[in-house]
């Protein structure tokens, strides 16, 4: 089965006994991080849903923290061991990745849940969201599991990119985005700069179905490959997308949250960000983003 959104996936995990809803509010980002590491040390543990003191918006963590749950997310029957789950996930992803004729282009719709509430201008305040500093050596609050969406600004036929790049919050309306030169977003930035562009539209979508998160982390075969079409092939149905309200990009209609903005291309506008606590247990170095 394909999951249209994060909520339907969470409902499935709840039925499977794979989701734990915490009654006690977490104190801060450090407590959330500590709980995450403890779950990892215990072999993955359940997905968890909770609130953090001072914030109304609930958050989830460890949702795709096991291969068992990722198999469910792909619509596969989970195996009884981690090794077997790795094989069936690898085989499914490789099968669809190699068969582009099975990919399904996204479907543009007129509206979606991600635009039920729209805040613009002075209404925007990222600090009202539970975006916190998760580790004591982090450079600041980070948006985790972001799907960062950009499109080539020189030749639109080169398509768009959906990648998972860390995003540190600098203030109420500004984030950094890690744009490494060798990744697709870095290529988009370099091409836009060479064309004399001053800014580039960018969207950050958070709270998506498991397949879209997976493809955001894939290394595609070509710079022009579309992650959302690949996701459609894996899901067996098109990803529904809506046009952004303030920029010329399309985003997944069933995202829980979408941030729309312009990426400053002038190197003098870059700011230091990091360090950043990585999932493998080390801190990534500071960068200019």
């Amino acid at each position: 089965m394909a999951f249209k959104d994060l909520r339907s996936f969470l409902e499935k995990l709840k039925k499977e006994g794979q989701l734990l809803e915490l009654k006690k509010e977490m104190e801060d980002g450090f407590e959330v991080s500590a709980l995450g590491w403890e779950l990892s040390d215990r072999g993955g543990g359940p997905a968890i849903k909770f609130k953090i003191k001072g914030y109304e918006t609930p958050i989830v963590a460890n949702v795709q923290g096991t291969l068992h749950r990722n198999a469910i997310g792909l619509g596969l029957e989970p195996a009884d061991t981690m090794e077997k789950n790795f094989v069936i996930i690898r085989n499914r992803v490789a099968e669809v990745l190699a068969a582009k004729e099975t990919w399904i282009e996204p479907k543009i719709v007129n509206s979606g849940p991600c635009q039920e509430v729209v805040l613009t201008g002075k209404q925007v305040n990222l600090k009202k969201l539970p975006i916190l500093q998760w580790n004591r050596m982090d450079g600041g609050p980070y948006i985790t599991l972001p799907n960062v969406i950009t499109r080539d600004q020189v030749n639109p036929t080169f398509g768009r990119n959906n990648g998972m790049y860390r995003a540190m919050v600098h203030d109420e309306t500004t984030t950094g985005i890690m744009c490494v030169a060798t990744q697709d977003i870095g290529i988009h930035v370099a091409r836009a700069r060479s064309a004399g562009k001053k800014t580039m539209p960018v969207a950050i979508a958070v709270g998506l179905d498991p397949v879209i998160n997976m493809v955001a982390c894939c290394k595609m075969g070509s710079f022009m490959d579309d992650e959302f079409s690949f996701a459609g092939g894996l899901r067996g149905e098109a990803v529904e997308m809506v046009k952004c309200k303030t920029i010329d990009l399309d985003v997944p209609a069933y995202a829980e949250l979408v941030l729309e903005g312009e990426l400053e291309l002038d190197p003098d506008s870059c700011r230091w960000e990091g360090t950043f606590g990585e999932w493998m247990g080390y801190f990534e170095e500071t960068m200019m983003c």
Side-chain angles (χ1 to χ4, degrees):
M1 71 179 284
F3 295 95
K4 181 172 287 188
D5 56 17
L6 173 62
R7 298 188 187 203
S8 61
F9 184 50
L10 292 177
E11 281 297 316
K12 174 66 174 178
L13 295 184
K14 187 175 181 179
K15 291 177 182 178
E16 296 285 330
Q18 292 281 321
L19 173 66
L20 181 63
E21 299 184 63
L22 307 181
K23 295 181 179 179
K24 181 181 178 182
E25 293 182 333
M26 297 287 100
E27 292 289 336
D28 53 32
F30 300 149
E31 187 171 18
V32 174
S33 178
L35 180 57
W37 280 109
E38 182 65 21
L39 290 171
S40 178
D41 288 344
R42 294 187 182 191
I48 52 175
K49 180 180 179 180
F50 53 93
K51 284 187 176 181
I52 297 177
K53 283 187 178 180
Y55 298 92
E56 285 300 314
T57 305
I59 61 177
V60 292
N62 203 38
V63 174
Q64 293 178 246
T66 66
L67 291 175
H68 181 98
R69 289 197 287 277
N70 279 290
I72 294 174
L74 281 167
L76 304 172
E77 184 65 33
D80 56 358
T81 67
M82 181 179 70
E83 290 78 11
K84 291 178 182 177
N85 279 318
F86 171 80
V87 171
I88 63 173
I89 291 170
R90 178 200 63 192
N91 290 350
R92 174 60 178 162
V93 172
E95 174 190 31
V96 178
L97 188 61
K100 290 187 179 181
E101 68 276 8
T102 67
W103 295 15
I104 303 174
E105 291 187 7
K107 177 183 178 182
I108 302 298
V109 296
N110 293 327
S111 62
C114 72
Q115 294 178 344
E116 288 177 357
V117 177
V118 178
L119 303 177
T120 59
K122 293 183 179 180
Q123 296 174 307
V124 177
N125 186 350
L126 294 174
K127 293 187 177 180
K128 289 185 177 181
L129 298 171
I131 305 170
L132 304 177
Q133 182 176 345
W134 308 108
N135 302 286
R136 296 194 182 278
M137 286 176 58
D138 285 352
Y142 271 92
I143 302 173
T144 58
L145 221 67
N147 284 254
V148 181
I149 302 165
T150 56
R151 189 179 63 232
D152 188 80
Q153 297 298 296
V154 179
N155 187 344
T157 63
F158 280 7
R160 68 180 149 224
N161 176 61
N162 178 37
M164 198 162 283
Y165 312 113
R166 74 192 200 204
M168 191 180 93
V169 173
H170 292 295
D171 55 45
E172 288 83 352
T173 60
T174 310
T175 77
I177 297 176
M178 186 180 70
C179 300
V180 177
T182 55
Q183 294 179 327
D184 286 357
I185 191 173
I187 297 172
H188 280 171
V189 167
R191 286 173 56 81
R193 281 175 175 163
S194 67
K197 304 285 186 180
K198 301 299 182 184
T199 62
M200 183 177 78
V202 60
I204 298 177
V206 180
L208 295 161
D209 72 77
V211 171
I212 294 180
N213 283 333
M214 289 181 200
V215 300
C217 300
C218 285
K219 295 299 182 185
M220 307 292 282
S222 166
F223 172 68
M224 292 181 283
D225 285 340
D226 180 25
E227 283 85 0
F228 294 114
S229 295
F230 179 34
L234 285 169
R235 294 168 59 180
E237 65 179 31
V239 176
E240 293 186 11
M241 303 186 74
V242 294
K243 294 187 178 298
C244 286
K245 293 290 188 178
T246 63
I247 56 175
D248 185 20
L249 285 176
D250 305 324
V251 292
Y254 284 86
E256 291 292 326
L257 171 71
V258 175
L259 304 178
E260 301 178 9
E262 295 284 342
L263 188 63
E264 292 280 353
L265 298 179
D266 184 348
D268 291 337
S269 69
C270 293
R271 304 188 193 182
W272 283 105
E273 63 90 57
T275 56
F276 176 67
E278 290 282 5
W279 64 276
M280 293 182 70
Y282 62 87
F283 282 88
E284 181 65 68
E285 62 189 358
T286 57
M287 295 187 182
M288 285 288 287
C289 296

